[in-house]
Amino acid sequence: MNFKRVILIEARKRKGWTQEELASGVGISRAYLANIERGEYDPSLKVAQSLSKKLGVSTDKLFFNDNARKTNINKEVI
């Protein structure tokens, strides 16, 4: 399921950075960052960690949907 990564976008905007500035800061292209923000691409672990560090927000908060996590926690293992 593709969903817009609102927390990632908001964290970038709170820093006052454009997509180009953040992408450059973590060593990726602006187009790749735009696709990550739109939920079209999932970043590699290295990129996710770099974005998290640069923005000062946990990787879990940036990239994992709370509802999905709650659903998985509540599932019974058979």
Side-chain angles (χ1 to χ4, degrees):
M1 173 192 287
N2 291 347
F3 57 92
K4 196 169 185 178
R5 294 191 165 103
V6 176
I7 295 171
L8 173 60
I9 296 165
E10 288 174 351
R12 174 178 57 78
K13 288 181 177 181
R14 270 194 309 273
K15 294 281 188 178
W17 295 333
T18 63
Q19 286 180 336
E20 183 65 40
E21 290 168 325
L22 177 56
S24 177
V26 297
I28 61 175
S29 72
R30 188 217 48 84
Y32 182 44
L33 177 60
N35 285 323
I36 293 170
E37 286 186 352
R38 284 193 304 269
E40 293 178 12
Y41 292 167
D42 289 324
S44 68
L45 179 58
K46 181 179 177 182
V47 170
Q49 289 172 332
S50 295
L51 288 166
S52 174
K53 184 176 181 178
K54 189 82 172 166
L55 293 169
V57 179
S58 76
T59 305
D60 281 348
K61 188 167 185 170
L62 287 178
F63 296 105
F64 292 100
N65 181 327
D66 282 338
N67 291 330
R69 222 174 314 144
K70 289 176 188 171
T71 301
N72 288 332
I73 290 170
N74 293 329
K75 282 187 179 177
E76 191 175 328
V77 178
I78 299 175

